Amino acid sequence: MIQHCPTPTELDDLELLVSGAYAPVTRFNEPGSPVTLALPDGATEAELVDPEGLPLARVAADGALEPLTHAQYGPFRRLHLTPAQAREQHAGATFVPVVDALTEADLDDLRGLGRVALVALMGTGTPSLSPVALVRATLAAADLLDDASVIAVPLPSHGDAEADHELGAQVVATYAGPDPVHALADRDSAYPDTIGAIVEEDQPEPEEQGLVLFFTGLSGSGKSTLARALMDLLLEQGGRSVTSLDGDVVRRHLSAGLTFSKADRETNIRRIGWVAAEIARHGGVAVCSPIAPFAETRDQVQQMVEDAGGAFFLVHVATPLEECERRDRKGLYAKARAGEIPEFTGISSPYEEPTDPAVRVDTTGRTIEDALDDVLVALDEAGYLHLTGSPEGSA
């Protein structure tokens, strides 16, 4: 039986299936249920493990689960109660689903209910706040009420608003059991100071947010030159922690030993993405310039960055193949045409052009200053960086 680490959404679903929170749904892939699991390589059963390799459950071919142990780490793990534990510990309370930071109006509404159990629905894809910030904000709200406690329920988003709403209502009802459920009205109001501070920390202004500048394009397109020029400009201006994750440099250090097969090239991009996401998590700027020819892997990097609370800014350096091959500074295209380099992007392996980059730049016949200006304007309009001027260079 293979071992498989599910996606963050699938791990959240696994916890809720095993705890009984999804009852009557008890397994993955039941008809009509958004709670699904995709196993690799056509496998029909597997041992499911957490990101550190701890076995959590076995899943059979029909989606049925055999629990092995429960997740033991993570912020606010102590608040992750099963429905049975919640009903036992909070019997007689009014259960209140919470999906966003509570406002003054929300608190006024709750003060008339007596004892309340705030059910923070904080799974992957929380609409507004990050999962951890949602629990922090809910705990801060509980401190402002006379008799309130907090339960953390990792209910994830499945990309279907209607199905997710129905699933959320079902989960909260399961937690509440015979006790009442109170839905908060959607009323505009200010946050109390303690809650507002948590929201502000979790949702910084764009210019304060961790940022990944991801340049993609064919070999010889000018992406590395543009990335270096932008890096120099950021360092000259100061004020932000900046890290370069250039393709060739990464190959020598982070991805030494990988070949240029499709699988290894994609592994290289995912490694870059993971490091870049960690830089963004801590408020830094990562400048990346791999070829990254496949849309699926670029999307995976974007998801890593956004899951870390960072912003992903995709720059497609769209210099045509003919111009890239004309430059051929390293002689790579000539070798690829001669069959000496297999799976060479643009020649014997495809490049999937981004359909919706933040900005698209063609460096043909342009100076670096001129081409970089396209990027600077787009960054300024998006509110991420406000830079003027560019280091001298040539295309």
Side-chain angles (χ1 to χ4, degrees), residues 107 136-137 140-141 143-144 191-199:
L107 295 174
R136 290 181 61 218
D143 288 341
L144 299 173
Y191 296 118
D193 290 344
T194 53
I195 296 176
I198 294 170
V199 173

Side-chain angles (χ1 to χ4, degrees), residues 311-353:
F312 183 79
F313 192 88
L314 183 64
V315 180
H316 177 206
V317 185
T319 308
L321 173 63
E322 296 75 15
E323 175 62 16
C324 296
E325 192 166 3
R326 184 193 66 78
R327 296 173 183 175
D328 204 12
R329 294 170 181 166
K330 299 177 183 178
L332 299 177
Y333 284 99
K335 291 180 180 179
R337 291 289 187 190
E340 298 175 22
I341 303 178
E343 295 188 280
F344 188 82
T345 301
I347 303 299
S348 51
S349 183
Y351 177 83
E352 297 173 2
E353 291 198 357

Side-chain angles (χ1 to χ4, degrees), residues 18-34:
V18 169
S19 74
Y22 278 155
V25 176
T26 60
R27 64 185 67 200
F28 283 109
N29 301 325
E30 288 196 7
S33 170

Side-chain angles (χ1 to χ4, degrees), residues 123-137:
T124 303
T126 303
S128 299
L129 297 176
S130 67
V132 171
L134 178 59
V135 178
R136 290 181 61 218

Side-chain angles (χ1 to χ4, degrees), residues 1 27 35 43 56 66 73-74 121 145 204 231 279 285 361 373:
M1 179 179 292
R27 64 185 67 200
V35 182
L56 299 174
E66 176 192 349
Y73 301 102
L121 302 176
L145 297 169
M231 177 94 177
I279 292 168
V285 178
V361 183
D373 192 58

